[in-house]
Every structure is written in C-alpha cells, then in structure tokens.
C-alpha cells in the first residue's frame, strides 16, 4: 500500500471503508463544474464503491486518496496516454470544497509530479484546466508547470463551449528544478 505523509494531508491508496466519505465529499456541483463529465454528479455510494474497487491495488497505484484527519477528502491521479503520446501522463485532482484554500493541492501537486517521474518512464506531465478555474492554474504554476496552450472552445461543460488551458512540465525541467540536471 502506498502512503505519503505531507504537512497538510496524507496521500494513500484507496481502501475499503472510503466509500461513504468519498460519496459525501464528491457529490458536489462546485467540484463537478471543474472536472470531466465522466466524474458522476450526483456522486452516489454505488459510484464510490465502484471507484474504490477499481483503484484498490497493491501495485503502483495511479490514483491516490487525499486523506485529512483520517478521512478521504479528494483524489490525485494520472493517466499515461498511448500510441504517439505514450510518454505523456495527464494529471488530475479534486478536493472536497470545505478543504479548498488550505494549500493542500499546492502541497500535493509537486509530490505527485515526483511520484510520476520516479515511478514511470513518462517524459511530460500535463494538466487540462477549464477556463475560469484560477485556483487550479495557480496550483500548477506553483508546481512549475508552464502554460503551453489555450484550446479555444476546446471543451464543453454545462452545455457551453469553454476554453481549455494546457499546463505541462517535462522530465528535464523537473530534474533541473531538483538540481539533478545541469
């Protein structure tokens, strides 16, 4: 089981018993407005049970629960792309609204980038942010991601076309920040 203790939270593998907290925290329209549509709303106990079951692993997990005070209150994870993009990983996250503004994701994101680069052959980690999600843009900038592109009306959310901002960090950039590359 993966577990990483941070100042504001703990990152750990999803486990049985997380379902109720996950359903309660994830079923929030203010979260859903900023994530992909495959993230259900409302987020039912059945959805939570399915998520925990699909992410409960003893191998290297790609999704980690964000735990505060012993309770799962969010997720951070990544998906490695395929074909021409097989050395790219998209990172994503969400956090229960009562925990917004506490610096949790700001602390989590550099740790997750480190986790990805140290455990995979990924060369580029990127994130997609819907226009207006200033908090996520700032989190990524603090984690040394650079704004690569704006896809004008590149996404649809709430039946409206919205711009999508792409942020990324390359392995060489990460290593340079860590003082491991001259």
């Amino acid at each position: 089981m993966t577990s990483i203790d941070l100042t504001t939270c703990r990152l750990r593998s999803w486990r049985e018993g997380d379902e109720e907290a996950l359903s309660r925290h994830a079923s929030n329209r203010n979260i859903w407005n900023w994530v992909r549509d495959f993230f259900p709303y409302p987020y039912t106990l059945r959805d939570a049970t399915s998520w925990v079951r699909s992410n409960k692993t003893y191998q290297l997990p790609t999704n980690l629960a964000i735990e505060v005070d012993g309770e799962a209150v969010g997720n951070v994870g990544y998906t490695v792309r395929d074909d021409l993009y097989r050395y790219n990983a998209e990172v994503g996250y969400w956090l229960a609204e009562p925990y917004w503004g506490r610096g949790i994701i700001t602390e989590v994101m550099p740790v997750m980038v480190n986790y990805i680069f140290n455990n995979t052959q990924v060369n580029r980690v990127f994130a997609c942010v819907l226009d207006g999600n200033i908090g996520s843009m700032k989190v990524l900038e603090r984690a040394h991601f650079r704004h690569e592109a704006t896809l004008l009306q590149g996404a649809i959310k709430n039946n409206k076309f919205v711009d999508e901002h792409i942020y990324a960090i390359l392995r060489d950039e990460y290593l340079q920040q860590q003082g491991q590359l001259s």
Side-chain angles (χ1 to χ4, degrees), residues 8-9 95 99-109 139 142:
T8 60
C9 66
L95 184 66
Y99 300 91
W100 293 1
R102 295 188 187 184
I104 294 171
I105 298 298
T106 297
E107 184 181 28
V108 162
M109 191 51 53
V139 161
R142 287 183 194 120

Side-chain angles (χ1 to χ4, degrees), residues 91 93 105-106 109 113 126-129 134-146 165-168:
V91 67
Y93 47 87
I105 298 298
T106 297
M109 191 51 53
V113 169
F126 72 98
C128 302
V129 182
I134 305 301
S136 279
M137 292 176 190
K138 288 181 180 179
V139 161
L140 293 166
E141 290 165 359
R142 287 183 194 120
H144 305 288
F145 283 63
R146 101 193 98 58
H165 300 271
I166 311 299
Y167 286 80

Side-chain angles (χ1 to χ4, degrees), residues 153 155-163:
Q153 296 185 9
I156 188 162
K157 190 68 180 184
N158 291 315
N159 296 315
K160 295 178 185 171
F161 288 107
V162 294
D163 295 348

Side-chain angles (χ1 to χ4, degrees), residues 78 89 91 111-120 122 125 171:
Y78 68 95
V91 67
V111 172
M112 192 61 175
V113 169
N114 181 66
Y115 179 85
I116 295 167
F117 283 136
N118 285 328
N119 291 294
T120 71
V122 163
V125 177
R171 180 179 291 274

